[in-house]
Amino acid sequence: MASSHSSSPVPQSNSSDAFFKKETDSTTKRFRPVQSLPDVCPKEPTGDPNNLRDSPSLVVDQHRWTIYHSKVNLPAALNDPRLAKRESDFFTKTWGVDFVDTEVTPSFYLPQITKEHFALYQQEIAPREKVHERCKNICTSKDTFDRTLLHPHDKSRTDLEQVPKIFMKPDFALEDSLTFNAVLPWSHFSTAGGKGNRDAASSKLLQEKLSHYLDIVEVNIAHQISLRSEAFFHAMTSQHELQDYLRKTSQAVKLLREKMAKIDKVMCEGSLRVLRLSLTRNNCIKAYNKLKLMATVHQTQPTVQLLLSTSEFVGALDLIATTQEVLQQELQGIHSFRHLGSQLCELEKLIDKMMIAEFSTYARNDLNRPLEDDCQILEEERLVSLVFGLLKQRKLNFYEIYGDEMIITAKNIIKQCVVNTVSQIEEIDTEVVVKLADQMRMMNFPQWFDLLANIFSKFTIFLKRIKATLDTIRSVVFLVLDKNQKTRDLEDTLQKSSAKDSTVDTEVAYLTHEGMFISDAFGDGDLPPGAPDTTSQRNTSPNSEPCSSDSVSEPECTTDSSSSKEQTSSSVTPGGVEMMISDDMKLTDLELVRLANNIQELLYNASDICHDRSVKFLMARAKDGFLEKLNSNEFVALSRLMEGFILDTEQICGRKSMSLRGALQSQANRFVNRFHEERKTKLSLLLDNERWKQAEVPAEFQDLVDSVSDGRISLPEKKPAATEERKPTEFLIVEGQKYATVGTVLLLIRIILEYCQCVDNIPSITTDMLTRLSDLLKYFNSRSCQLVLGAGALQVVGLKTITTKNLALSSRCLQLIVHYIPIIRAHFEARLQPKQFSMLRHFDHITKDYHDHIAEISAKLVAIMDSLFDKLLSKYEVKAPVPSACFRNICKQMAKMHEAIYDLLPEEQTQMLFLRINASYKLHLKRQLAHLNVVNDGGPLNGLVTSDVAFYTGNLQALKGLNNLDLNMAEIWEQKR
């Protein structure tokens, strides 16, 4: 039975199909394969070969041989009918004839084990084995004892009991080493030495034993089948009927599936294929666009390097930002781009450093180029690009770099100017005098003045360049600020329009729900702009392709518009440079306004830097008192130069810088002090040497006075010497009036005009000059009073006496000064601030002091005659002859007085003075007549007095300019009560 059936060959797979076909042998008989029951509900094919199941399908593989057709039984597995006879070895019988001949390659990691390795173990175990065998022979086997007790009719059961229990265990498996050793003990298999024959016999015995066990089992199986043959055949009959029923069912199902397959092929396969191809096409387009986008992203780094080589920092930063956004949104998870994001971040940091270094280089090149009249901006496009890039990266302190470069350049400008000037002066030996400051101090004033003017001109150009550059930077900042405001306005507009669109969408949805068309609900002119044109959509040609390549690829290709929210707008800088401003500059309005203010403040700082460096240059030259030794013309020229530079910087920068102005004011104060002390000292020396005699008036002084009369308070320019020199005049003509003066007053007028002209040249010292001029006028008044009225000239100059002519000349000189005080006051008033008008009260006090002084001189002249009248009239006696000696003496003194003062004082003043003298004369005569008891009674004494008075009156009125003087001599008589 074991040899009557042959086992099916092992199925082998074809190389291309994934289905198996039965291998046929040409020498063996072709058996009809037994068909197993097909799967009633197999999985439907999807077109994907990877999704096929291993179970058979009646539609797909009903005529193909599969592994489910293989049938095998235990005897066929143990008995190979292809062998002529049973082999002596179990392994060759089970695993093939080539089992013995196959050599196993020895392992390199395991040692070669021989029987000598077990020699010691065998020596130890041999005595124990002998004892064990001896005991086994003595003791009766339990199986033998049990076998004798069996019932003689239970032979089959007894035969089964001969089979060891180990074969009956449900978990019997030869893979288990213990089970294998129990079934096939290694003691029966040995090929060493002379024991080979015995081992071969043991192997044959074991094989026969196992074959015997097999026969017993097969006999018992056959016996059990014979006992249940009726039930077996009944089951087989039922099985045949069931198979016939299932065969019919299978055929019906097969026919149904064939019909369904035809329906599927005719009705569904084409449409599904179209859909599948459309989906495949869309996927291919998406894949193509994705690959194209990846190729574009892959070129980011080379493109950035190319942009950086041309200093296109804004374009490089925009490209990096766009690429990072694409990586995060559309290419997220791409393995090949996993490091690109970090590389772009590092590249962005590198660009930050490059922009700062580039801006520093630009600032250095811009500020250190030759200072000529050209104030054009250096590479405006490059500057604008750098500023945009720095703003994009929020590097808002870049202007500090420009400020540091300004300080360095300002120092270098002064140094270079000094070096150039010193190199042109042969008197300065640069090898002996090494320091620039010492070399500069060796220059005279014209050389130093030219150097300072050169420095100021260089600084002016320097500030104009800075202003142009900073204006460009501020314009860029304001462009970004304006863009932010426009963006906010646009967002507000979009929000309002979206709210209106949502209202229209709601109305459209309602009308559509009610079954109305949009064109039916709205008129031709009432159609809202946000509503879609449904009529045009309904009239679209049905043959038009639903999705072309352009329409499909558009959403994927528009990475810059869909994935990136960045938008750009074009703006033009004041220099005409057009720039694209992107929306990704995340700067607030406050930051931009603060930055613009800081840039404007940087322009102010530039002006302060230039002024500070100029002040240091001035102070370096003023260490040896050089500036204090300048004369008025030199200092005025220096002051004008500095004032011009200050005004130029204020006009350029729009703010006053006080450092240079303060230095100028400090030097001006020193100059004013020295100026005033020199002229005060000069006036003091002139007064101390003045003999108070009328001086001739040179023509230049007359011209000076005439210029003042014309309203021009300034010293006239020196005219070339004429062929005929004009002779000096006796009087100074001022607005038609003659003034007899002394030389000191002429020089004093010139000094006063020097003060006024100095105020014109240096407006900052107006108040100081006013104070000093007031002090000078007061000094002249007080000193002249001391010398003339106080008779100080007697000791100082050595005059014998102070005459009436000296007094009259002094009075006229004071009157000349008083005449010019209102003109001086008006001159200073026009140059003072309104809050400084209170200082003009000094001129009022001076005018009052001069008038008092003039009045004192007049009183002194009257007092001189009064003392003379008192002396002479006190001795007057009324007696003949007539006129008396007293009256003749009085008339003589009056004539001398008139002669002394008539040419000095104006006629009105002379008349007023003689009226006062006449009043004194009448007072003394009246007192003397009262003392003599002479009354106006027509008597002889009265006649004598009348004759003397008539002589006095005649002589006095005979004097020049006094003929119309009303003497009123009747007052000498006592009035009758």
Side-chain angles (χ1 to χ4, degrees), residues 699-766:
E700 59 176 332
F701 283 96
Q702 185 62 52
D703 295 339
L704 183 65
V705 171
D706 293 340
S707 66
V708 174
S709 300
D710 295 338
R712 186 175 64 256
I713 303 179
S714 62
L715 296 175
E717 297 179 358
K718 293 183 179 180
K719 299 180 180 179
T723 56
E724 295 182 1
E725 294 184 358
R726 292 183 297 172
K727 295 181 179 179
T729 58
E730 186 177 1
F731 295 96
L732 183 67
I733 307 301
V734 180
E735 296 181 358
Q737 293 187 11
K738 295 181 179 180
Y739 285 91
T741 62
V742 296
T744 301
V745 174
L746 293 176
L747 293 176
L748 176 61
I749 293 174
R750 184 180 181 87
I751 290 174
I752 292 173
L753 294 181
E754 288 178 356
Y755 275 82
C756 294
Q757 186 175 10
C758 193
V759 169
D760 289 337
N761 297 329
I762 312 175
S764 61
I765 61 174
T766 302

Side-chain angles (χ1 to χ4, degrees), residues 935-962:
V935 295
N936 190 11
D937 53 359
L941 295 178
N942 184 15
L944 292 175
V945 172
T946 303
S947 298
D948 287 336
V949 170
F951 175 77
Y952 166 78
T953 305
N955 279 280
L956 186 60
Q957 290 181 346
L959 296 178
K960 189 176 181 179
L962 301 180

